[in-house]
């Protein structure tokens, strides 16, 4: 077995990384230099949900598992691309859009919800993304799915002054089932080969609600 191709599904982390409204903006400063200290070292300041990241159930439920308590199998496995491109701004993704892929969904599958909205990354339009409907989420959970990744900043609707949202129902549903969510993925449309192996393993932060990841899709042979 060898890796024939790798598609990078992650956004870079730096001062220009787009963050959820109110979250810490990532900052990096020089802590040590070769000239002064004999080595280069950066000091980093960022939130646990910075860039391409995964959410543990603890992100939305105090009594749910934290990141370090989760089975690493949740963060890697065969991927199924659910292509819902063409869904409009702030439009829910209903079961009718997911149903054509239902026979491929089940335990151990990493679902990649491809909205195409990563094209708006870095703009205000990025916050007006489509979002997964609660009923579609329930049906996927009933099929055994526990890992949901999306190329948007939020799997639920992102509220603002004119869109109050409805309380992050999909986050609560997945957390209640012991599942995980990946957000701020990109390049999902490039996963155009069958049976991709997905890896979105997080930094091993203790007691965390989530962590950044370097997410990739691998074509094996």
């Amino acid at each position: 077995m060898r890796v024939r191709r790798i598609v990078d599904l992650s956004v870079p982390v730096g001062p220009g990384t787009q963050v959820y409204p109110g979250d810490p903006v990532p900052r990096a400063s020089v802590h040590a230099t070769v000239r002064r200290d004999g080595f280069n070292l950066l000091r980093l300041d960022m939130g646990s949900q910075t860039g391409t990241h995964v959410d543990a159930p603890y992100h939305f439920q105090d009594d749910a598992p934290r990141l370090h308590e989760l089975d690493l199998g949740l963060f890697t496995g065969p991927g199924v691309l659910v292509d819902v491109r063409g869904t409009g701004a702030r439009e829910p993704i209903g079961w009718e859009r997911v149903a054509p892929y239902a026979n491929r969904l089940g335990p151990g599958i990493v679902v990649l919800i491809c909205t195409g909205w990563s094209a708006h990354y870095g703009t205000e339009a990025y916050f007006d993304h489509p979002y997964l409907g609660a009923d579609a989420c329930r049906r996927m959970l009933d099929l055994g799915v526990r890992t949901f990744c999306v190329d948007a900043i939020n799997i639920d609707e992102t509220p603002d002054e004119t869109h109050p949202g409805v309380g992050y129902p999909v986050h609560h549903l997945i957390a209640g089932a012991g599942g995980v969510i990946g957000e701020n993925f990109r390049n999902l449309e490039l996963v155009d080969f069958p049976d991709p192996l997905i890896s979105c393993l997080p930094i091993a932060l203790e007691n965390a609600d989530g962590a950044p990841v370097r997410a990739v899709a691998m074509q094996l042979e």
Side-chain angles (χ1 to χ4, degrees):
M1 179 184 296
R2 70 182 183 94
V3 178
R4 180 177 179 185
R5 180 182 169 199
I6 298 178
V7 177
D8 189 356
L9 306 179
S10 309
V11 300
V13 175
T17 301
Q18 196 164 15
V19 300
Y20 191 82
D23 280 6
V25 175
R27 303 183 190 282
S29 58
V30 175
H31 180 75
T33 65
V34 170
R35 182 174 182 178
R36 185 186 68 202
D37 308 289
F39 56 91
N40 289 317
L41 182 69
L42 286 176
R43 179 191 299 272
L44 302 177
D45 181 7
M46 61 185 184
S48 56
Q49 308 280 323
T50 296
T52 305
H53 65 273
V54 291
D55 297 352
Y58 177 69
H59 184 41
F60 269 80
Q61 294 186 7
D62 279 338
D63 59 349
R66 302 182 188 215
L67 189 68
H68 73 281
E69 298 172 319
L70 296 174
D71 182 346
L72 290 179
L74 286 167
F75 305 107
T76 185
V80 171
L81 185 78
V82 175
D83 192 343
V84 295
R85 284 177 289 179
T87 309
R90 293 190 177 272
E91 183 179 341
I93 299 162
W95 175 247
E96 71 281 357
R97 300 297 305 275
V98 180
Y101 305 91
N103 65 340
R104 298 168 57 198
L105 304 182
I109 293 295
V110 177
V111 172
L112 305 174
I113 303 171
C114 180
T115 69
W117 217 255
S118 59
H120 299 288
Y121 182 82
T123 73
E124 285 300 311
Y126 191 55
F127 299 113
D128 294 324
H129 55 86
Y131 56 95
L132 185 61
D135 179 63
C137 178
R138 287 189 194 94
R139 291 180 182 231
M140 284 194 277
L141 287 169
D142 288 344
L143 291 171
V145 176
R146 292 297 180 269
T147 307
F148 299 75
C149 303
V150 64
D151 56 352
I153 201 164
N154 193 351
I155 201 168
D156 279 301
E157 185 177 18
T158 298
D160 63 17
E161 295 82 0
T162 56
H163 303 90
V166 292
Y168 306 96
V170 169
H171 274 85
H172 284 286
L173 285 167
I174 296 172
V180 296
I181 298 166
E183 294 164 325
N184 283 326
F185 280 54
R186 69 171 180 177
N187 294 332
L188 295 186
E189 65 279 359
L190 300 182
V191 185
D192 56 2
F193 45 88
D195 305 317
L197 176 63
I198 309 301
S199 174
C200 52
L201 291 163
I203 298 172
L205 297 178
E206 292 185 354
N207 297 311
D209 55 277
V213 304
R214 184 63 179 266
V216 297
M218 292 174 279
Q219 183 179 19
L220 305 179
E221 66 175 22

